[in-house]
Protein backbone atom coordinates (compact mmCIF):
# COMPACT_ATOMS: atom_id res chain seq x y z
CA UNK A 1 0.00 0.00 0.00
CA UNK A 2 1.42 3.39 -0.97
CA UNK A 3 2.03 6.24 1.44
CA UNK A 4 -0.45 9.13 1.23
CA UNK A 5 -0.20 12.80 2.21
CA UNK A 6 -3.05 14.30 4.21
CA UNK A 7 -3.66 17.83 5.39
CA UNK A 8 -6.31 16.37 7.71
CA UNK A 9 -3.76 14.19 9.50
CA UNK A 10 -1.35 17.13 9.76
CA UNK A 11 -4.05 19.16 11.48
CA UNK A 12 -4.91 16.33 13.86
CA UNK A 13 -1.24 15.89 14.79
CA UNK A 14 -0.93 19.58 15.60
CA UNK A 15 -3.98 19.34 17.85
CA UNK A 16 -2.34 16.50 19.77
CA UNK A 17 0.95 18.36 20.11
CA UNK A 18 -0.24 21.89 20.79
CA UNK A 19 -3.60 21.89 22.57
CA UNK A 20 -4.37 21.07 26.21
CA UNK A 21 -7.37 19.05 25.05
CA UNK A 22 -5.20 16.99 22.70
CA UNK A 23 -2.65 16.28 25.41
CA UNK A 24 -5.37 15.35 27.92
CA UNK A 25 -6.94 12.82 25.54
CA UNK A 26 -5.18 12.23 22.22
CA UNK A 27 -6.92 8.93 21.49
CA UNK A 28 -9.99 10.21 19.56
CA UNK A 29 -7.56 12.15 17.36
CA UNK A 30 -5.50 9.00 16.81
CA UNK A 31 -8.65 7.20 15.67
CA UNK A 32 -9.25 9.88 13.08
CA UNK A 33 -5.63 9.65 11.89
CA UNK A 34 -5.80 5.88 11.44
CA UNK A 35 -9.06 6.23 9.54
CA UNK A 36 -7.21 8.18 6.84
CA UNK A 37 -4.29 5.74 6.59
CA UNK A 38 -1.95 3.84 8.94
CA UNK A 39 1.03 5.63 7.31
CA UNK A 40 0.97 9.20 5.99
CA UNK A 41 3.56 11.76 4.93
CA UNK A 42 3.31 14.94 6.95
CA UNK A 43 3.74 18.46 5.67
CA UNK A 44 7.10 18.44 7.49
CA UNK A 45 8.27 15.58 5.26
CA UNK A 46 8.44 12.90 7.94
CA UNK A 47 6.35 9.75 7.75
CA UNK A 48 3.71 9.40 10.47
CA UNK A 49 2.89 5.81 11.46
CA UNK A 50 -0.24 5.05 13.51
CA UNK A 51 -1.06 1.39 12.75
CA UNK A 52 0.16 -1.39 15.04
CA UNK A 53 1.60 -3.66 12.35
CA UNK A 54 3.14 -0.68 10.59
CA UNK A 55 4.75 0.57 13.81
CA UNK A 56 6.23 -2.86 14.56
CA UNK A 57 7.69 -3.01 11.05
CA UNK A 58 9.42 0.34 11.55
CA UNK A 59 10.71 -0.44 15.04
CA UNK A 60 12.13 -3.80 13.90
CA UNK A 61 13.63 -2.52 10.64
CA UNK A 62 17.46 -2.90 10.68
CA UNK A 63 17.98 0.07 8.35
CA UNK A 64 15.86 2.39 10.47
CA UNK A 65 17.73 3.60 13.54
CA UNK A 66 18.47 6.71 15.58
CA UNK A 67 20.75 8.31 13.02
CA UNK A 68 22.26 10.84 15.41
CA UNK A 69 25.69 10.49 13.80
CA UNK A 70 24.56 11.23 10.26
CA UNK A 71 25.99 14.29 8.59
CA UNK A 72 22.91 15.60 6.86
CA UNK A 73 20.39 18.32 6.47
CA UNK A 74 17.47 17.68 8.82
CA UNK A 75 15.08 15.88 6.46
CA UNK A 76 11.54 15.16 7.53
CA UNK A 77 12.08 16.27 11.09
CA UNK A 78 9.29 16.52 13.63
CA UNK A 79 11.26 18.68 16.01
CA UNK A 80 10.37 22.38 15.90
CA UNK A 81 11.86 25.37 17.67
CA UNK A 82 15.11 25.87 19.57
CA UNK A 83 17.26 24.60 16.68
CA UNK A 84 20.63 25.49 18.23
CA UNK A 85 19.71 24.34 21.73
CA UNK A 86 18.23 21.13 20.38
CA UNK A 87 21.47 20.23 18.63
CA UNK A 88 23.48 20.90 21.79
CA UNK A 89 21.02 18.81 23.81
CA UNK A 90 21.42 15.79 21.54
CA UNK A 91 25.19 16.22 21.41
CA UNK A 92 25.41 16.14 25.20
CA UNK A 93 22.88 13.35 25.71
CA UNK A 94 23.86 11.10 22.83
CA UNK A 95 26.56 9.02 24.52
CA UNK A 96 24.31 6.18 25.66
CA UNK A 97 22.33 3.35 24.11
CA UNK A 98 19.08 5.34 23.79
CA UNK A 99 20.38 7.46 20.92
CA UNK A 100 23.11 5.17 19.59
CA UNK A 101 23.11 2.80 16.61
CA UNK A 102 25.14 -0.40 16.26
CA UNK A 103 27.93 -1.14 16.92
CA UNK A 104 28.01 1.39 19.79
CA UNK A 105 24.46 0.54 20.79
CA UNK A 106 25.28 -3.17 20.92
CA UNK A 107 28.37 -2.60 23.06
CA UNK A 108 26.59 -0.32 25.54
CA UNK A 109 23.45 -2.40 25.84
CA UNK A 110 25.31 -5.66 26.42
CA UNK A 111 27.10 -4.16 29.41
CA UNK A 112 23.97 -2.72 30.98
CA UNK A 113 21.72 -5.70 30.25
CA UNK A 114 23.52 -7.77 32.89
CA UNK A 115 21.67 -5.80 35.57
CA UNK A 116 18.25 -6.32 33.98
CA UNK A 117 18.00 -10.05 33.38
CA UNK A 118 14.64 -11.64 34.33
CA UNK A 119 16.31 -13.50 37.18
CA UNK A 120 17.86 -10.37 38.71
CA UNK A 121 14.60 -8.46 38.35
CA UNK A 122 12.64 -11.24 40.06
CA UNK A 123 15.08 -11.18 42.97
CA UNK A 124 14.00 -7.58 43.62
CA UNK A 125 10.37 -8.54 44.16
CA UNK A 126 10.50 -8.80 48.01
CA UNK A 127 12.28 -5.44 48.31
CA UNK A 128 9.78 -3.77 45.96
CA UNK A 129 6.86 -5.25 47.92
CA UNK A 130 8.32 -3.97 51.20
CA UNK A 131 8.74 -0.48 49.76
CA UNK A 132 5.18 -0.52 48.40
CA UNK A 133 3.84 -1.52 51.81
CA UNK A 134 5.65 1.39 53.50
CA UNK A 135 4.30 3.89 51.01
CA UNK A 136 0.78 2.53 51.44
CA UNK A 137 1.16 2.86 55.22
CA UNK A 138 1.90 6.56 54.74
CA UNK A 139 -1.06 6.95 52.39
CA UNK A 140 -3.37 5.26 54.89
CA UNK A 141 -2.22 7.59 57.66
CA UNK A 142 -2.80 10.67 55.49
CA UNK A 143 -6.15 9.73 53.95
CA UNK A 144 -6.08 12.58 51.43
CA UNK A 145 -3.02 12.36 49.18
CA UNK A 146 -1.59 13.24 45.81
CA UNK A 147 -0.93 9.79 44.39
CA UNK A 148 1.83 11.06 42.11
CA UNK A 149 4.01 12.52 44.88
CA UNK A 150 3.00 10.00 47.56
CA UNK A 151 3.43 6.80 45.57
CA UNK A 152 3.87 6.94 41.77
CA UNK A 153 7.14 8.90 41.93
CA UNK A 154 8.88 7.65 45.11
CA UNK A 155 8.39 3.95 44.34
CA UNK A 156 10.25 3.73 41.01
CA UNK A 157 12.75 6.42 42.03
CA UNK A 158 13.79 4.36 45.05
CA UNK A 159 14.00 1.12 43.05
CA UNK A 160 16.12 2.50 40.21
CA UNK A 161 18.14 4.62 42.62
CA UNK A 162 19.21 1.50 44.48
CA UNK A 163 20.01 -0.34 41.26
CA UNK A 164 22.09 2.46 39.76
CA UNK A 165 23.69 3.47 43.06
CA UNK A 166 22.30 6.97 43.61
CA UNK A 167 22.30 7.69 47.37
CA UNK A 168 18.83 7.99 48.88
CA UNK A 169 19.42 11.53 50.10
CA UNK A 170 20.26 12.78 46.60
CA UNK A 171 17.35 11.37 44.60
CA UNK A 172 14.71 14.00 45.33
CA UNK A 173 17.23 16.74 44.55
CA UNK A 174 17.92 15.19 41.13
CA UNK A 175 14.26 14.74 40.13
CA UNK A 176 13.66 18.32 38.82
CA UNK A 177 16.84 18.03 36.75
CA UNK A 178 15.61 14.77 35.24
CA UNK A 179 12.27 16.39 34.41
CA UNK A 180 14.11 19.26 32.66
CA UNK A 181 16.22 16.80 30.65
CA UNK A 182 13.10 14.83 29.67
CA UNK A 183 11.65 18.01 28.20
CA UNK A 184 14.45 17.96 25.65
CA UNK A 185 12.96 14.99 23.78
CA UNK A 186 9.61 16.70 23.26
CA UNK A 187 8.74 17.50 19.63
CA UNK A 188 7.89 21.14 20.41
CA UNK A 189 10.53 23.02 22.39
CA UNK A 190 11.13 26.68 23.18
CA UNK A 191 14.60 28.24 23.39
CA UNK A 192 14.18 28.57 27.15
CA UNK A 193 13.24 24.91 27.56
CA UNK A 194 16.17 23.84 25.38
CA UNK A 195 18.56 25.91 27.51
CA UNK A 196 17.13 24.42 30.69
CA UNK A 197 17.57 20.90 29.29
CA UNK A 198 21.18 21.55 28.37
CA UNK A 199 21.91 23.09 31.79
CA UNK A 200 20.28 20.11 33.52
CA UNK A 201 22.42 17.66 31.54
CA UNK A 202 25.54 19.60 32.55
CA UNK A 203 24.55 19.50 36.22
CA UNK A 204 23.68 15.81 36.13
CA UNK A 205 26.93 15.11 34.30
CA UNK A 206 28.91 16.78 37.09
CA UNK A 207 26.99 14.86 39.76
CA UNK A 208 27.43 11.45 38.13
CA UNK A 209 31.06 12.26 37.34
CA UNK A 210 31.70 12.70 41.05
CA UNK A 211 29.73 9.54 41.82
CA UNK A 212 31.84 7.65 39.27
CA UNK A 213 35.05 8.77 40.97
CA UNK A 214 33.70 7.52 44.31
CA UNK A 215 32.80 4.13 42.82
CA UNK A 216 36.22 3.83 41.19
CA UNK A 217 37.80 4.29 44.62
CA UNK A 218 35.27 2.19 46.54
CA UNK A 219 33.12 -0.11 44.35
CA UNK A 220 29.77 -1.27 45.67
CA UNK A 221 27.12 -3.72 44.57
CA UNK A 222 25.40 -1.34 42.16
CA UNK A 223 25.27 -0.65 38.44
CA UNK A 224 27.47 2.45 38.66
CA UNK A 225 30.29 0.37 40.08
CA UNK A 226 29.77 -2.29 37.44
CA UNK A 227 30.04 0.26 34.65
CA UNK A 228 33.15 1.76 36.20
CA UNK A 229 34.82 -1.64 36.39
CA UNK A 230 33.80 -2.54 32.83
CA UNK A 231 36.75 -0.52 31.57
CA UNK A 232 38.98 -3.41 32.50
CA UNK A 233 37.28 -5.60 29.88
CA UNK A 234 37.42 -5.51 26.11
CA UNK A 235 34.18 -3.52 25.98
CA UNK A 236 35.78 -0.42 27.44
CA UNK A 237 33.62 2.56 28.34
CA UNK A 238 34.72 6.16 28.53
CA UNK A 239 33.89 8.24 31.59
CA UNK A 240 31.44 10.19 29.43
CA UNK A 241 29.66 7.00 28.35
CA UNK A 242 29.45 5.74 31.93
CA UNK A 243 27.91 8.97 33.18
CA UNK A 244 25.56 9.34 30.22
CA UNK A 245 24.39 5.74 30.64
CA UNK A 246 23.84 6.21 34.38
CA UNK A 247 21.81 9.37 33.77
CA UNK A 248 19.69 7.56 31.18
CA UNK A 249 18.99 4.56 33.42
CA UNK A 250 18.18 6.65 36.48
CA UNK A 251 15.91 9.04 34.55
CA UNK A 252 14.10 6.45 32.43
CA UNK A 253 13.80 4.14 35.43
CA UNK A 254 11.33 6.39 37.18
CA UNK A 255 9.94 8.80 34.56
CA UNK A 256 8.15 6.10 32.58
CA UNK A 257 7.12 3.92 35.53
CA UNK A 258 5.73 6.94 37.35
CA UNK A 259 3.54 7.56 34.31
CA UNK A 260 2.50 3.90 34.16
CA UNK A 261 1.30 4.03 37.77
CA UNK A 262 -0.48 7.37 37.46
CA UNK A 263 -2.06 6.80 34.06
CA UNK A 264 -2.99 3.27 35.06
CA UNK A 265 -4.70 4.15 38.32
CA UNK A 266 -6.64 6.97 36.66
CA UNK A 267 -7.83 4.54 33.98
CA UNK A 268 -9.04 2.09 36.64
CA UNK A 269 -10.83 4.81 38.59
CA UNK A 270 -12.63 5.79 35.40
CA UNK A 271 -13.51 2.11 34.79
CA UNK A 272 -14.71 0.98 38.25
CA UNK A 273 -15.85 -2.39 36.95
CA UNK A 274 -12.27 -3.22 35.94
CA UNK A 275 -10.90 -1.83 39.21
CA UNK A 276 -13.21 -4.05 41.22
CA UNK A 277 -12.43 -7.03 39.00
CA UNK A 278 -8.70 -6.61 39.76
CA UNK A 279 -9.38 -6.10 43.46
CA UNK A 280 -11.38 -9.33 43.63
CA UNK A 281 -8.84 -11.30 41.59
CA UNK A 282 -5.23 -10.22 42.28
CA UNK A 283 -3.99 -12.88 39.85
CA UNK A 284 -4.98 -10.43 37.10
CA UNK A 285 -2.04 -8.21 38.10
CA UNK A 286 0.18 -9.23 35.19
CA UNK A 287 -2.41 -9.01 32.42
CA UNK A 288 -3.90 -5.93 34.05
CA UNK A 289 -0.57 -4.10 33.99
CA UNK A 290 -0.08 -5.01 30.34
CA UNK A 291 -3.54 -3.67 29.52
CA UNK A 292 -2.84 -0.40 31.34
CA UNK A 293 0.31 -0.05 29.25
CA UNK A 294 -1.78 -0.54 26.13
CA UNK A 295 -4.62 1.71 27.23
CA UNK A 296 -2.61 4.83 28.07
CA UNK A 297 1.04 4.40 27.14
CA UNK A 298 3.64 6.24 29.27
CA UNK A 299 5.60 6.82 26.05
CA UNK A 300 3.52 8.04 23.12
CA UNK A 301 6.10 8.72 20.45
CA UNK A 302 9.24 7.15 19.03
CA UNK A 303 11.47 8.25 16.18
CA UNK A 304 13.46 6.39 13.57
CA UNK A 305 15.78 7.62 10.83
CA UNK A 306 16.77 5.96 7.56
CA UNK A 307 20.42 4.97 8.00
CA UNK A 308 20.74 4.05 4.32
CA UNK A 309 18.43 4.16 1.29
CA UNK A 310 15.55 1.93 2.34
CA UNK A 311 12.25 0.83 0.84
CA UNK A 312 9.16 1.08 3.00
CA UNK A 313 5.62 0.48 1.73
CA UNK A 314 6.59 0.95 -1.88
CA UNK A 315 8.62 4.14 -1.44
CA UNK A 316 12.36 4.67 -1.17
CA UNK A 317 13.42 6.52 1.95
CA UNK A 318 16.60 8.52 1.50
CA UNK A 319 19.31 8.64 4.15
CA UNK A 320 18.22 10.93 6.97
CA UNK A 321 14.48 10.74 6.40
CA UNK A 322 12.50 10.55 9.63
CA UNK A 323 9.66 8.24 10.68
CA UNK A 324 7.39 9.26 13.55
CA UNK A 325 6.02 6.21 15.37
CA UNK A 326 2.91 7.02 17.40
CA UNK A 327 3.00 4.16 19.89
CA UNK A 328 -0.08 5.40 21.70
CA UNK A 329 -2.07 5.22 18.45
CA UNK A 330 -0.76 1.74 17.61
CA UNK A 331 -1.97 0.47 20.98
CA UNK A 332 -5.59 1.32 20.10
CA UNK A 333 -5.49 -0.07 16.55
CA UNK A 334 -8.68 -2.15 16.00
CA UNK A 335 -6.88 -4.10 13.27
CA UNK A 336 -4.73 -5.64 16.04
CA UNK A 337 -6.83 -5.45 19.21
CA UNK A 338 -10.36 -6.75 19.59
CA UNK A 339 -12.54 -4.07 21.20
CA UNK A 340 -9.54 -1.77 21.12
CA UNK A 341 -11.47 1.09 22.78
CA UNK A 342 -12.45 -1.06 25.77
CA UNK A 343 -10.30 -1.47 28.87
CA UNK A 344 -10.05 -5.21 29.62
CA UNK A 345 -7.58 -6.18 32.36
CA UNK A 346 -7.96 -9.84 31.43
CA UNK A 347 -7.06 -9.27 27.78
CA UNK A 348 -5.08 -12.12 26.25
CA UNK A 349 -2.66 -12.02 23.32
CA UNK A 350 -1.84 -8.45 24.29
CA UNK A 351 1.12 -6.87 22.53
CA UNK A 352 1.33 -3.13 23.19
CA UNK A 353 4.32 -1.25 21.79
CA UNK A 354 4.58 1.02 24.83
CA UNK A 355 8.20 0.02 25.51
CA UNK A 356 9.23 0.20 21.86
CA UNK A 357 10.40 -2.86 19.95
CA UNK A 358 13.44 -4.30 18.23
CA UNK A 359 16.97 -3.57 19.40
CA UNK A 360 15.83 -0.40 21.20
CA UNK A 361 13.13 -2.17 23.24
CA UNK A 362 13.23 -0.66 26.74
CA UNK A 363 15.83 -2.54 28.75
CA UNK A 364 13.93 -1.89 31.99
CA UNK A 365 10.54 -3.08 30.72
CA UNK A 366 10.41 -6.12 33.01
CA UNK A 367 11.25 -3.96 36.03
CA UNK A 368 8.55 -1.43 35.17
CA UNK A 369 5.99 -4.19 34.69
CA UNK A 370 6.86 -5.72 38.05
CA UNK A 371 6.57 -2.36 39.85
CA UNK A 372 3.23 -1.71 38.15
CA UNK A 373 1.87 -5.14 39.02
CA UNK A 374 2.97 -5.08 42.67
CA UNK A 375 2.11 -1.43 43.18
CA UNK A 376 -1.41 -1.41 41.79
CA UNK A 377 -2.37 -4.87 43.09
CA UNK A 378 -1.24 -3.94 46.61
CA UNK A 379 -2.98 -0.56 46.42
CA UNK A 380 -6.31 -2.14 45.49
CA UNK A 381 -5.98 -4.79 48.19
CA UNK A 382 -5.09 -2.23 50.85
CA UNK A 383 -7.82 0.32 50.19
CA UNK A 384 -11.44 -0.76 49.71
CA UNK A 385 -12.24 2.86 48.92
CA UNK A 386 -10.22 5.03 46.52
CA UNK A 387 -11.94 8.20 45.37
CA UNK A 388 -10.76 10.79 42.88
CA UNK A 389 -10.69 14.22 44.48
CA UNK A 390 -11.02 15.97 41.11
CA UNK A 391 -12.74 15.25 37.82
CA UNK A 392 -9.95 16.89 35.82
CA UNK A 393 -6.46 15.76 36.95
CA UNK A 394 -3.68 17.96 35.60
CA UNK A 395 -1.53 16.50 32.83
CA UNK A 396 2.10 17.37 32.22
CA UNK A 397 2.70 19.81 29.37
CA UNK A 398 4.45 17.10 27.38
CA UNK A 399 3.58 14.61 24.69
CA UNK A 400 6.39 12.07 24.21
CA UNK A 401 6.28 11.19 27.90
CA UNK A 402 2.60 11.15 28.83
CA UNK A 403 1.85 11.52 32.51
CA UNK A 404 0.03 13.40 35.24
CA UNK A 405 1.34 16.28 37.30
CA UNK A 406 -0.98 15.35 40.14
CA UNK A 407 -3.67 12.82 40.99
CA UNK A 408 -5.43 13.86 44.22
CA UNK A 409 -7.17 11.00 46.01
CA UNK A 410 -9.08 10.19 49.14
CA UNK A 411 -8.36 6.68 50.43
CA UNK A 412 -9.68 4.55 53.28
CA UNK A 413 -7.96 1.44 54.58
Amino acid sequence: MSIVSSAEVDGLLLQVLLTPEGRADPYPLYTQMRAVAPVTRTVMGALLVTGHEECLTVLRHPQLGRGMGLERESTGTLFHGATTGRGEFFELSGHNMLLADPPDHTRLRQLVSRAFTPRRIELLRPAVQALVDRLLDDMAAAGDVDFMSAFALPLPMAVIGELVGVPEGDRTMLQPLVRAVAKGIEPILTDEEASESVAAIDTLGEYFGQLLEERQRSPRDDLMSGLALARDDDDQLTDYEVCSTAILLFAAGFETTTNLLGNGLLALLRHPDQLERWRQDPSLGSSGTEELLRWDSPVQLNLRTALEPTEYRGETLEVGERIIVLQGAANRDPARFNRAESLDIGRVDNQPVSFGWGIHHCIGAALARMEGEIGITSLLQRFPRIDLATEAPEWRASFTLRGLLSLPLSVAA
Side-chain angles (χ1 to χ4, degrees), residues 258-318:
T258 293
N259 293 346
L260 162 61
L261 292 164
N263 299 1
L265 180 59
L266 179 61
L268 290 172
L269 291 169
R270 288 176 170 172
H271 295 80
D273 61 322
Q274 296 299 304
L275 185 152
E276 191 59 32
R277 182 184 176 192
W278 194 331
R279 176 179 281 140
Q280 295 300 321
D281 186 0
S283 70
L284 290 170
S286 179
S287 64
T289 301
E290 202 70 9
E291 177 69 345
L292 295 180
L293 285 165
R294 184 195 73 85
W295 180 256
D296 201 358
S297 176
V299 181
Q300 293 283 306
L301 176 147
N302 218 318
L303 282 176
R304 289 295 184 269
T305 303
L307 304 178
E308 57 187 70
T310 303
E311 185 171 306
Y312 179 66
R313 295 179 71 84
E315 289 194 21
T316 297
L317 304 181
E318 300 299 331

Side-chain angles (χ1 to χ4, degrees), residues 23 39 50 87 174 188 190 197 229 237 265 272 275 298 326 399:
R23 286 195 296 268
V39 182
T50 54
L174 297 176
I188 307 295
T190 67
S197 291
L229 296 174
L237 294 177
L265 180 59
L275 185 152
L326 286 185
F399 172 69

Side-chain angles (χ1 to χ4, degrees), residues 165-206:
V166 177
E168 182 177 358
D170 294 347
R171 296 166 193 165
T172 302
M173 170 195 71
L174 297 176
Q175 188 268 333
L177 296 171
V178 169
R179 184 62 56 87
V181 171
K183 192 70 176 177
I185 65 173
E186 291 299 318
I188 307 295
L189 197 66
T190 67
D191 288 327
E192 181 180 0
E193 289 168 337
S195 297
E196 290 173 353
S197 291
V198 169
I201 290 176
D202 283 337
T203 303
L204 287 170
E206 292 175 4

